[in-house]
């Protein structure tokens, strides 16, 4: 049913790709020196305001969850995944758990997006 919405020349993907797949991210336990969820949330909030242009009030109005597991990349880098979401949109951020660098910000939408 979705073929009618493909762009000209676009083909179906058997399996969609994502940065999580590309980097081979897998849950791993925390180790000493990893950022806490609170630290990662604060860094992610600042990134949302800087990169996405949200105000402090807008960031405060959407839920901010943090995965308790560290996401371990195949190359050994460790990330905290922080998600901001309300009923219309969401953002998923990967924050390097050792350096605090925001590595990736992804916008997602529910339903038909």
């Amino acid at each position: 049913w979705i073929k009618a919405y493909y762009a000209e020349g676009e083909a179906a993907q058997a399996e969609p790709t994502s940065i999580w797949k590309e980097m081979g991210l897998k849950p791993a336990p925390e180790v000493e020196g990893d950022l806490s969820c609170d630290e990662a949330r604060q860094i992610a909030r600042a990134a949302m305001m800087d990169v996405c242009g949200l105000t402090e009030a807008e960031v405060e109005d959407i839920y901010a969850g943090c995965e308790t597991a560290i996401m371990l990349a195949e190359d050994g880098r460790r990330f905290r995944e922080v998600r901001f979401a309300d009923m219309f949109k969401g953002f998923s951020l990967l924050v390097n758990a050792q350096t605090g660098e925001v590595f990736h910000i992804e916008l997602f939408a529910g339903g038909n997006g």
Side-chain angles (χ1 to χ4, degrees):
W1 65 268
I2 198 168
K3 287 183 181 180
Y5 300 99
Y6 288 169
E8 187 175 329
E10 185 178 11
Q13 290 184 342
E15 189 174 333
T17 189
S18 73
I19 194 160
W20 284 260
K21 262 186 203 171
E22 290 171 15
M23 294 175 62
L25 294 174
K26 302 222 183 297
E30 290 183 43
V31 297
E32 190 173 327
D34 284 340
L35 290 174
S36 70
C37 273
D38 287 339
E39 291 169 320
R41 261 195 291 268
Q42 291 306 315
I43 291 167
R45 279 188 171 99
M48 295 289 294
M49 291 184 284
D50 182 48
V51 176
C52 300
L54 297 177
T55 66
E56 188 170 345
E58 289 171 325
V59 173
E60 291 299 321
D61 280 346
I62 55 179
Y63 168 79
C66 178
E67 297 296 323
T68 54
I70 294 292
M71 300 305 289
L72 180 64
E74 287 178 343
D75 65 6
R77 288 180 294 170
R78 304 171 65 76
F79 297 95
R80 282 272 186 209
E81 182 180 3
V82 181
R83 290 180 181 260
F84 292 86
D86 63 21
M87 61 193 276
F88 301 108
K89 67 193 169 306
F91 300 88
S92 182
L93 294 87
L94 290 177
V95 179
N96 187 302
Q98 295 171 324
T99 67
E101 176 186 12
V102 176
F103 178 76
H104 180 75
I105 300 175
E106 180 177 337
L107 170 65
F108 60 90
N112 294 325

